[in-house]
Amino acid sequence: MSERGFDILPGEHPIVPIMFYDAAAAVRFAEAVLVRGIYVIPFSYPVVPKGQARIRVQISAAHSEEDLSFAVDTFESVRQDLGAS
């Protein structure tokens, strides 16, 4: 995801925070991803600091390489459709 221009907080863990910073943008993005079959959760203030809105995705051993590719491609497609940076 980082190679495709998404801002991801550093670290290796199963819950991956993808930064959007703007709460409304994170919600719009999460809703658009859900329509395409991927359930993600947007988080914003007061759960995270103001201006640090994000979508958290969870990766598990049950996900195949195909699942992960689908997710990354979907995120990129939604970003293009929404005109998000």
Side-chain angles (χ1 to χ4, degrees), residues 15-68:
I15 298 175
V16 180
I18 302 166
M19 302 303 294
F20 284 81
Y21 303 100
D22 178 78
V27 169
R28 278 191 308 275
F29 201 95
E31 289 171 348
V33 169
L34 179 60
V35 168
R36 296 176 190 211
I38 299 173
Y39 180 66
V40 295
I41 303 291
F43 287 89
S44 59
Y45 181 82
V47 177
V48 297
K50 281 189 179 184
Q52 296 294 307
R54 62 198 71 188
I55 289 176
R56 291 182 182 163
V57 298
Q58 188 164 350
I59 300 170
S60 82
H63 290 113
S64 67
E65 289 287 331
E66 186 175 278
D67 294 332
L68 298 175

Short mmCIF file of all heavy atoms in Angstrom, two decimals, residues 15-68:
data_model
loop_
_atom_site.label_atom_id
_atom_site.label_comp_id
_atom_site.label_asym_id
_atom_site.label_seq_id
_atom_site.Cartn_x
_atom_site.Cartn_y
_atom_site.Cartn_z
N ILE A 15 -2.96 -5.12 12.63
CA ILE A 15 -3.89 -4.01 12.42
C ILE A 15 -3.10 -2.86 11.81
O ILE A 15 -2.19 -2.31 12.44
CB ILE A 15 -4.58 -3.59 13.73
CG1 ILE A 15 -5.40 -4.76 14.27
CG2 ILE A 15 -5.46 -2.35 13.49
CD1 ILE A 15 -6.02 -4.53 15.60
N VAL A 16 -3.45 -2.53 10.58
CA VAL A 16 -2.67 -1.57 9.80
C VAL A 16 -3.43 -0.24 9.72
O VAL A 16 -4.52 -0.20 9.14
CB VAL A 16 -2.39 -2.12 8.39
CG1 VAL A 16 -1.58 -1.13 7.57
CG2 VAL A 16 -1.68 -3.47 8.48
N PRO A 17 -2.88 0.83 10.27
CA PRO A 17 -3.53 2.14 10.19
C PRO A 17 -3.15 2.87 8.90
O PRO A 17 -1.99 3.16 8.66
CB PRO A 17 -3.00 2.88 11.42
CG PRO A 17 -1.70 2.22 11.72
CD PRO A 17 -1.74 0.83 11.17
N ILE A 18 -4.15 3.13 8.08
CA ILE A 18 -3.95 3.86 6.84
C ILE A 18 -4.47 5.28 7.09
O ILE A 18 -5.65 5.48 7.36
CB ILE A 18 -4.69 3.19 5.68
CG1 ILE A 18 -4.19 1.74 5.54
CG2 ILE A 18 -4.50 3.97 4.39
CD1 ILE A 18 -5.04 0.88 4.68
N MET A 19 -3.57 6.23 7.01
CA MET A 19 -3.88 7.59 7.43
C MET A 19 -4.64 8.37 6.35
O MET A 19 -4.29 8.34 5.18
CB MET A 19 -2.59 8.33 7.78
CG MET A 19 -1.77 7.65 8.88
SD MET A 19 -2.70 7.42 10.41
CE MET A 19 -2.96 9.12 10.91
N PHE A 20 -5.70 9.07 6.81
CA PHE A 20 -6.46 9.96 5.95
C PHE A 20 -6.46 11.37 6.53
O PHE A 20 -6.74 12.32 5.82
CB PHE A 20 -7.90 9.45 5.78
CG PHE A 20 -7.96 8.30 4.82
CD1 PHE A 20 -7.66 7.02 5.24
CD2 PHE A 20 -8.29 8.50 3.50
CE1 PHE A 20 -7.69 5.96 4.36
CE2 PHE A 20 -8.32 7.45 2.60
CZ PHE A 20 -8.02 6.17 3.04
N TYR A 21 -6.21 11.49 7.82
CA TYR A 21 -6.12 12.75 8.55
C TYR A 21 -7.46 13.46 8.70
O TYR A 21 -7.80 13.91 9.77
CB TYR A 21 -5.05 13.66 7.95
CG TYR A 21 -3.70 12.98 7.92
CD1 TYR A 21 -3.21 12.39 6.76
CD2 TYR A 21 -2.96 12.83 9.09
CE1 TYR A 21 -2.00 11.72 6.75
CE2 TYR A 21 -1.75 12.16 9.10
CZ TYR A 21 -1.26 11.60 7.92
OH TYR A 21 -0.08 10.93 7.93
N ASP A 22 -8.24 13.55 7.65
CA ASP A 22 -9.55 14.19 7.67
C ASP A 22 -10.63 13.15 7.97
O ASP A 22 -10.73 12.14 7.26
CB ASP A 22 -9.81 14.86 6.32
CG ASP A 22 -11.18 15.49 6.26
OD1 ASP A 22 -11.36 16.58 6.81
OD2 ASP A 22 -12.08 14.87 5.64
N ALA A 23 -11.42 13.38 9.01
CA ALA A 23 -12.43 12.40 9.45
C ALA A 23 -13.47 12.12 8.37
O ALA A 23 -13.82 10.97 8.11
CB ALA A 23 -13.10 12.89 10.73
N ALA A 24 -13.99 13.17 7.74
CA ALA A 24 -15.02 12.97 6.72
C ALA A 24 -14.47 12.18 5.54
O ALA A 24 -15.16 11.32 4.98
CB ALA A 24 -15.56 14.32 6.26
N ALA A 25 -13.24 12.44 5.16
CA ALA A 25 -12.62 11.70 4.05
C ALA A 25 -12.46 10.23 4.41
O ALA A 25 -12.70 9.34 3.57
CB ALA A 25 -11.26 12.31 3.70
N ALA A 26 -12.09 9.95 5.64
CA ALA A 26 -11.93 8.55 6.07
C ALA A 26 -13.27 7.82 6.04
O ALA A 26 -13.34 6.66 5.60
CB ALA A 26 -11.32 8.50 7.47
N VAL A 27 -14.33 8.49 6.46
CA VAL A 27 -15.66 7.87 6.45
C VAL A 27 -16.11 7.62 5.02
O VAL A 27 -16.60 6.53 4.69
CB VAL A 27 -16.68 8.74 7.21
CG1 VAL A 27 -18.10 8.25 6.98
CG2 VAL A 27 -16.35 8.75 8.70
N ARG A 28 -15.97 8.61 4.15
CA ARG A 28 -16.36 8.44 2.74
C ARG A 28 -15.60 7.28 2.10
O ARG A 28 -16.17 6.47 1.38
CB ARG A 28 -16.09 9.72 1.93
CG ARG A 28 -17.16 10.76 2.06
CD ARG A 28 -17.00 11.89 1.04
NE ARG A 28 -15.68 12.49 1.04
CZ ARG A 28 -15.29 13.47 1.85
NH1 ARG A 28 -16.13 13.96 2.74
NH2 ARG A 28 -14.09 13.97 1.77
N PHE A 29 -14.32 7.21 2.38
CA PHE A 29 -13.48 6.17 1.80
C PHE A 29 -13.92 4.80 2.31
O PHE A 29 -14.07 3.86 1.53
CB PHE A 29 -12.01 6.43 2.14
CG PHE A 29 -11.06 5.75 1.21
CD1 PHE A 29 -10.54 6.44 0.12
CD2 PHE A 29 -10.68 4.44 1.41
CE1 PHE A 29 -9.66 5.81 -0.75
CE2 PHE A 29 -9.79 3.82 0.55
CZ PHE A 29 -9.28 4.51 -0.53
N ALA A 30 -14.14 4.69 3.60
CA ALA A 30 -14.56 3.41 4.20
C ALA A 30 -15.89 2.95 3.62
O ALA A 30 -16.08 1.76 3.33
CB ALA A 30 -14.64 3.52 5.71
N GLU A 31 -16.81 3.89 3.44
CA GLU A 31 -18.12 3.54 2.86
C GLU A 31 -17.97 3.04 1.43
O GLU A 31 -18.62 2.06 1.03
CB GLU A 31 -19.06 4.74 2.91
CG GLU A 31 -19.51 5.08 4.32
CD GLU A 31 -20.27 6.39 4.42
OE1 GLU A 31 -20.27 7.19 3.43
OE2 GLU A 31 -20.85 6.63 5.49
N ALA A 32 -17.11 3.68 0.65
CA ALA A 32 -16.90 3.27 -0.75
C ALA A 32 -16.21 1.91 -0.83
O ALA A 32 -16.52 1.11 -1.71
CB ALA A 32 -16.09 4.34 -1.48
N VAL A 33 -15.30 1.65 0.08
CA VAL A 33 -14.62 0.35 0.10
C VAL A 33 -15.62 -0.74 0.49
O VAL A 33 -15.61 -1.84 -0.10
CB VAL A 33 -13.41 0.39 1.06
CG1 VAL A 33 -12.84 -0.98 1.31
CG2 VAL A 33 -12.33 1.30 0.49
N LEU A 34 -16.51 -0.46 1.42
CA LEU A 34 -17.51 -1.44 1.84
C LEU A 34 -18.43 -1.83 0.68
O LEU A 34 -18.74 -3.01 0.50
CB LEU A 34 -18.34 -0.90 3.01
CG LEU A 34 -19.45 -1.81 3.52
CD1 LEU A 34 -18.88 -3.15 4.01
CD2 LEU A 34 -20.23 -1.13 4.62
N VAL A 35 -18.82 -0.87 -0.12
CA VAL A 35 -19.67 -1.14 -1.28
C VAL A 35 -18.99 -2.15 -2.21
O VAL A 35 -19.65 -2.94 -2.87
CB VAL A 35 -20.01 0.17 -2.03
CG1 VAL A 35 -20.62 -0.09 -3.38
CG2 VAL A 35 -20.92 1.03 -1.18
N ARG A 36 -17.67 -2.15 -2.20
CA ARG A 36 -16.91 -3.05 -3.07
C ARG A 36 -16.52 -4.36 -2.39
O ARG A 36 -15.75 -5.14 -2.92
CB ARG A 36 -15.68 -2.34 -3.59
CG ARG A 36 -16.07 -1.16 -4.47
CD ARG A 36 -14.89 -0.38 -4.91
NE ARG A 36 -15.35 0.86 -5.53
CZ ARG A 36 -14.71 1.47 -6.50
NH1 ARG A 36 -13.58 0.98 -6.95
NH2 ARG A 36 -15.17 2.58 -6.99
N GLY A 37 -17.05 -4.55 -1.18
CA GLY A 37 -16.89 -5.85 -0.54
C GLY A 37 -15.81 -5.98 0.50
O GLY A 37 -15.49 -7.09 0.93
N ILE A 38 -15.25 -4.86 0.94
CA ILE A 38 -14.22 -4.91 1.97
C ILE A 38 -14.69 -4.09 3.17
O ILE A 38 -14.97 -2.89 3.05
CB ILE A 38 -12.87 -4.36 1.46
CG1 ILE A 38 -12.39 -5.20 0.28
CG2 ILE A 38 -11.83 -4.36 2.58
CD1 ILE A 38 -11.16 -4.65 -0.39
N TYR A 39 -14.76 -4.74 4.31
CA TYR A 39 -15.21 -4.08 5.54
C TYR A 39 -14.02 -3.49 6.27
O TYR A 39 -13.10 -4.22 6.66
CB TYR A 39 -15.94 -5.09 6.43
CG TYR A 39 -16.45 -4.51 7.72
CD1 TYR A 39 -17.46 -3.56 7.72
CD2 TYR A 39 -15.94 -4.93 8.93
CE1 TYR A 39 -17.94 -3.03 8.90
CE2 TYR A 39 -16.42 -4.42 10.13
CZ TYR A 39 -17.42 -3.46 10.09
OH TYR A 39 -17.90 -2.95 11.26
N VAL A 40 -14.00 -2.18 6.40
CA VAL A 40 -12.95 -1.48 7.15
C VAL A 40 -13.62 -0.50 8.09
O VAL A 40 -14.78 -0.13 7.91
CB VAL A 40 -11.96 -0.75 6.22
CG1 VAL A 40 -11.19 -1.73 5.35
CG2 VAL A 40 -12.66 0.28 5.36
N ILE A 41 -12.89 -0.06 9.07
CA ILE A 41 -13.43 0.85 10.08
C ILE A 41 -12.65 2.17 10.05
O ILE A 41 -11.43 2.17 10.17
CB ILE A 41 -13.29 0.24 11.49
CG1 ILE A 41 -13.99 -1.10 11.58
CG2 ILE A 41 -13.79 1.20 12.55
CD1 ILE A 41 -15.47 -1.01 11.49
N PRO A 42 -13.36 3.31 9.89
CA PRO A 42 -12.68 4.60 10.03
C PRO A 42 -12.65 5.01 11.51
O PRO A 42 -13.60 4.76 12.24
CB PRO A 42 -13.56 5.54 9.21
CG PRO A 42 -14.94 4.95 9.31
CD PRO A 42 -14.74 3.45 9.43
N PHE A 43 -11.57 5.60 11.92
CA PHE A 43 -11.42 6.10 13.28
C PHE A 43 -11.06 7.58 13.23
O PHE A 43 -10.22 7.98 12.43
CB PHE A 43 -10.32 5.36 14.04
CG PHE A 43 -10.69 3.96 14.42
CD1 PHE A 43 -10.45 2.91 13.56
CD2 PHE A 43 -11.29 3.70 15.64
CE1 PHE A 43 -10.79 1.62 13.90
CE2 PHE A 43 -11.64 2.41 15.99
CZ PHE A 43 -11.39 1.36 15.12
N SER A 44 -11.71 8.36 14.06
CA SER A 44 -11.39 9.78 14.15
C SER A 44 -11.55 10.22 15.61
O SER A 44 -11.85 9.41 16.49
CB SER A 44 -12.29 10.59 13.22
OG SER A 44 -13.65 10.41 13.55
N TYR A 45 -11.34 11.51 15.84
CA TYR A 45 -11.45 12.07 17.19
C TYR A 45 -12.82 11.73 17.77
O TYR A 45 -13.82 11.82 17.06
CB TYR A 45 -11.26 13.59 17.10
CG TYR A 45 -11.32 14.27 18.43
CD1 TYR A 45 -10.21 14.30 19.24
CD2 TYR A 45 -12.51 14.87 18.87
CE1 TYR A 45 -10.27 14.93 20.48
CE2 TYR A 45 -12.57 15.48 20.10
CZ TYR A 45 -11.45 15.51 20.90
OH TYR A 45 -11.50 16.11 22.12
N PRO A 46 -12.91 11.29 18.99
CA PRO A 46 -11.94 11.28 20.07
C PRO A 46 -11.17 9.96 20.22
O PRO A 46 -10.39 9.81 21.15
CB PRO A 46 -12.79 11.54 21.31
CG PRO A 46 -14.08 10.84 21.01
CD PRO A 46 -14.28 11.03 19.52
N VAL A 47 -11.38 9.02 19.30
CA VAL A 47 -10.65 7.74 19.39
C VAL A 47 -9.17 7.93 19.08
O VAL A 47 -8.32 7.29 19.68
CB VAL A 47 -11.29 6.69 18.45
CG1 VAL A 47 -10.52 5.39 18.47
CG2 VAL A 47 -12.75 6.46 18.81
N VAL A 48 -8.88 8.80 18.13
CA VAL A 48 -7.50 9.17 17.80
C VAL A 48 -7.41 10.69 17.89
O VAL A 48 -8.44 11.37 17.88
CB VAL A 48 -7.10 8.65 16.39
CG1 VAL A 48 -7.13 7.13 16.33
CG2 VAL A 48 -7.98 9.25 15.30
N PRO A 49 -6.21 11.25 17.96
CA PRO A 49 -6.10 12.71 18.06
C PRO A 49 -6.73 13.42 16.86
O PRO A 49 -6.78 12.89 15.76
CB PRO A 49 -4.58 12.94 18.09
CG PRO A 49 -4.00 11.66 18.58
CD PRO A 49 -4.90 10.58 18.04
N LYS A 50 -7.21 14.64 17.10
CA LYS A 50 -7.77 15.46 16.01
C LYS A 50 -6.74 15.56 14.89
O LYS A 50 -5.55 15.71 15.13
CB LYS A 50 -8.12 16.86 16.50
CG LYS A 50 -9.43 16.91 17.24
CD LYS A 50 -9.85 18.33 17.51
CE LYS A 50 -11.19 18.28 18.24
NZ LYS A 50 -11.74 19.60 18.46
N GLY A 51 -7.24 15.47 13.67
CA GLY A 51 -6.36 15.57 12.51
C GLY A 51 -5.60 14.29 12.20
O GLY A 51 -4.74 14.29 11.33
N GLN A 52 -5.90 13.21 12.91
CA GLN A 52 -5.19 11.95 12.71
C GLN A 52 -6.16 10.81 12.31
O GLN A 52 -5.92 9.65 12.61
CB GLN A 52 -4.43 11.55 13.98
CG GLN A 52 -3.34 12.52 14.37
CD GLN A 52 -2.22 12.52 13.34
OE1 GLN A 52 -1.67 11.49 13.00
NE2 GLN A 52 -1.90 13.70 12.83
N ALA A 53 -7.23 11.17 11.61
CA ALA A 53 -8.22 10.17 11.19
C ALA A 53 -7.55 9.12 10.31
O ALA A 53 -6.62 9.41 9.55
CB ALA A 53 -9.36 10.84 10.43
N ARG A 54 -8.06 7.92 10.44
CA ARG A 54 -7.46 6.80 9.73
C ARG A 54 -8.48 5.71 9.51
O ARG A 54 -9.54 5.71 10.12
CB ARG A 54 -6.29 6.24 10.52
CG ARG A 54 -6.74 5.69 11.88
CD ARG A 54 -5.63 5.51 12.87
NE ARG A 54 -5.15 6.82 13.32
CZ ARG A 54 -4.10 7.00 14.07
NH1 ARG A 54 -3.42 5.98 14.51
NH2 ARG A 54 -3.70 8.19 14.42
N ILE A 55 -8.13 4.81 8.63
CA ILE A 55 -8.88 3.57 8.46
C ILE A 55 -7.96 2.47 8.93
O ILE A 55 -6.77 2.44 8.59
CB ILE A 55 -9.27 3.36 6.99
CG1 ILE A 55 -10.34 4.36 6.58
CG2 ILE A 55 -9.74 1.93 6.76
CD1 ILE A 55 -10.71 4.30 5.12
N ARG A 56 -8.50 1.60 9.75
CA ARG A 56 -7.71 0.47 10.22
C ARG A 56 -8.17 -0.78 9.49
O ARG A 56 -9.35 -1.08 9.44
CB ARG A 56 -7.86 0.28 11.72
CG ARG A 56 -7.22 1.39 12.51
CD ARG A 56 -7.36 1.14 13.98
NE ARG A 56 -6.79 2.24 14.75
CZ ARG A 56 -7.05 2.47 16.01
NH1 ARG A 56 -7.86 1.68 16.68
NH2 ARG A 56 -6.49 3.48 16.63
N VAL A 57 -7.22 -1.48 8.92
CA VAL A 57 -7.52 -2.76 8.29
C VAL A 57 -6.81 -3.85 9.07
O VAL A 57 -5.75 -3.61 9.66
CB VAL A 57 -7.11 -2.79 6.80
CG1 VAL A 57 -7.87 -1.75 6.01
CG2 VAL A 57 -5.62 -2.57 6.62
N GLN A 58 -7.40 -5.00 9.11
CA GLN A 58 -6.81 -6.11 9.85
C GLN A 58 -6.46 -7.23 8.89
O GLN A 58 -7.29 -7.68 8.11
CB GLN A 58 -7.76 -6.62 10.92
CG GLN A 58 -7.12 -7.63 11.83
CD GLN A 58 -7.92 -7.84 13.10
OE1 GLN A 58 -8.86 -7.12 13.39
NE2 GLN A 58 -7.54 -8.85 13.85
N ILE A 59 -5.23 -7.68 8.97
CA ILE A 59 -4.73 -8.75 8.12
C ILE A 59 -4.57 -9.99 8.99
O ILE A 59 -4.11 -9.91 10.12
CB ILE A 59 -3.38 -8.35 7.51
CG1 ILE A 59 -3.56 -7.09 6.66
CG2 ILE A 59 -2.80 -9.48 6.67
CD1 ILE A 59 -2.27 -6.46 6.20
N SER A 60 -4.98 -11.12 8.43
CA SER A 60 -4.82 -12.37 9.19
C SER A 60 -4.20 -13.44 8.30
O SER A 60 -4.14 -13.31 7.07
CB SER A 60 -6.17 -12.86 9.72
OG SER A 60 -6.89 -13.55 8.72
N ALA A 61 -3.79 -14.53 8.92
CA ALA A 61 -3.21 -15.65 8.20
C ALA A 61 -4.23 -16.30 7.26
O ALA A 61 -3.87 -17.02 6.34
CB ALA A 61 -2.67 -16.69 9.18
N ALA A 62 -5.50 -16.03 7.48
CA ALA A 62 -6.56 -16.58 6.63
C ALA A 62 -6.64 -15.87 5.28
O ALA A 62 -7.24 -16.39 4.34
CB ALA A 62 -7.91 -16.50 7.33
N HIS A 63 -6.03 -14.70 5.16
CA HIS A 63 -6.05 -13.96 3.89
C HIS A 63 -5.02 -14.54 2.94
O HIS A 63 -3.86 -14.75 3.31
CB HIS A 63 -5.75 -12.48 4.11
CG HIS A 63 -6.85 -11.76 4.81
ND1 HIS A 63 -6.70 -11.25 6.08
CD2 HIS A 63 -8.11 -11.46 4.43
CE1 HIS A 63 -7.83 -10.67 6.44
NE2 HIS A 63 -8.71 -10.79 5.45
N SER A 64 -5.44 -14.76 1.71
CA SER A 64 -4.52 -15.25 0.68
C SER A 64 -3.84 -14.06 0.00
O SER A 64 -4.25 -12.90 0.18
CB SER A 64 -5.30 -16.05 -0.37
OG SER A 64 -6.19 -15.19 -1.09
N GLU A 65 -2.84 -14.35 -0.79
CA GLU A 65 -2.19 -13.28 -1.58
C GLU A 65 -3.23 -12.63 -2.49
O GLU A 65 -3.21 -11.42 -2.70
CB GLU A 65 -1.05 -13.87 -2.41
CG GLU A 65 0.16 -14.27 -1.59
CD GLU A 65 0.95 -13.09 -1.08
OE1 GLU A 65 0.95 -12.02 -1.72
OE2 GLU A 65 1.57 -13.23 -0.01
N GLU A 66 -4.14 -13.44 -3.02
CA GLU A 66 -5.20 -12.91 -3.88
C GLU A 66 -6.11 -11.95 -3.10
O GLU A 66 -6.49 -10.90 -3.62
CB GLU A 66 -6.03 -14.06 -4.43
CG GLU A 66 -7.06 -13.65 -5.45
CD GLU A 66 -7.77 -14.85 -6.05
OE1 GLU A 66 -7.20 -15.46 -6.97
OE2 GLU A 66 -8.87 -15.17 -5.56
N ASP A 67 -6.45 -12.30 -1.87
CA ASP A 67 -7.26 -11.42 -1.02
C ASP A 67 -6.56 -10.08 -0.81
O ASP A 67 -7.17 -9.02 -0.92
CB ASP A 67 -7.51 -12.05 0.36
CG ASP A 67 -8.37 -13.29 0.33
OD1 ASP A 67 -9.21 -13.43 -0.59
OD2 ASP A 67 -8.19 -14.13 1.25
N LEU A 68 -5.28 -10.14 -0.51
CA LEU A 68 -4.52 -8.92 -0.24
C LEU A 68 -4.39 -8.06 -1.49
O LEU A 68 -4.53 -6.83 -1.43
CB LEU A 68 -3.16 -9.25 0.34
CG LEU A 68 -3.20 -9.99 1.69
CD1 LEU A 68 -1.80 -10.37 2.13
CD2 LEU A 68 -3.90 -9.17 2.75
#
